């Protein structure tokens, strides 16, 4: 049955367990501070209720030692690391932009190498063929005349050696 609030029925019998109007006073057994285990303290909550709670022990002050100076090699390394990283990144971008031009340059270099090789090899081949031609017999010229009559006629010809 749902709770119905009437102004005349405010007796504790009708309002049993209502924590707002009639809070039940539960008496906690009191412990002496010496009986509390380590890490447990009596605390007061924001509503004014005092209760036992686990607490963090206060942090022990850390032993402070004299500050050591930073070694020179560590400073140098710390300064060089971003510089070297930036240089590598810049080189990567440069190579990516230059790649098409580099490919075209290699093609042009191969073409130049082929041209130079042809320019060196061709005269050598011509000299060897001319030398061998001088020592042999003179070249013969042959002239041949062929004639045929009609579409299916028989061909006949003469050879002239000069």
């Amino acid at each position: 049955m749902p709770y119905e609030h009437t102004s005349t029925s405010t007796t504790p019998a009708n309002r049993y367990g209502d924590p707002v109007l009639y809070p039940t006073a539960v008496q906690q057994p009191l412990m002496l501070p010496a009986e509390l285990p380590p890490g447990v303290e009596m605390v007061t909550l924001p509503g004014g209720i005092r209760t036992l709670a686990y607490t963090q022990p206060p942090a022990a002050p850390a032993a402070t030692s004299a500050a050591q100076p930073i070694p020179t090699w560590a400073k140098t390394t710390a300064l060089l690391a971003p510089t070297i990283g930036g240089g590598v990144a810049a080189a990567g971008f440069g190579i990516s932009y230059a790649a098409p031009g580099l490919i075209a340059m290699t093609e042009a270099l191969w073409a130049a190498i082929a041209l130079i090789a042809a320019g060196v090899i061709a005269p050598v081949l011509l000299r060897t063929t001319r030398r061998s031609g001088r020592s042999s017999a003179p070249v013969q010229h042959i002239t041949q005349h062929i004639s045929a009559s009609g579409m299916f006629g028989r061909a006949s010809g003469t050879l002239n050696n000069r």
Side-chain angles (χ1 to χ4, degrees):
M1 172 173 207
Y3 172 73
E4 294 180 14
H5 179 68
T6 60
S7 61
T8 57
S9 62
T10 57
T11 60
N14 292 343
R15 305 279 301 181
Y16 179 76
D18 187 356
V20 177
L21 294 177
Y22 299 100
T24 55
V26 177
Q27 296 294 327
Q28 298 288 338
L30 296 177
M31 294 179 71
L32 297 175
E35 295 176 343
L36 295 176
V40 176
E41 290 183 18
M42 182 66 74
V43 295
T44 304
L45 298 176
I49 301 172
R50 291 182 50 93
T51 184
L52 294 174
Y54 289 104
T55 58
Q56 296 291 330
T64 57
S65 62
Q68 298 288 333
I70 298 174
T72 306
W73 66 267
K75 290 180 185 177
T76 305
T77 304
L79 291 172
L80 283 178
T83 305
I84 292 172
V88 169
F93 281 119
I95 289 172
S96 70
Y97 284 123
L102 292 174
I103 292 171
M105 285 175 53
T106 57
E107 296 295 330
L109 286 174
W110 279 114
I113 290 170
L115 182 66
I116 291 170
V120 170
I121 293 174
V124 172
L125 289 176
L126 288 175
R127 283 186 210 141
T128 58
T129 57
R130 285 182 187 167
R131 287 181 190 157
S132 65
R134 289 179 189 163
S135 64
S136 65
V139 177
Q140 291 184 352
H141 294 283
I142 299 173
T143 307
Q144 184 176 7
H145 297 283
I146 301 173
S147 61
S149 60
M151 184 183 237
F152 297 106
R154 192 168 187 187
S156 62
T158 59
L159 291 175
N160 298 326
N161 289 331
R162 292 186 189 195

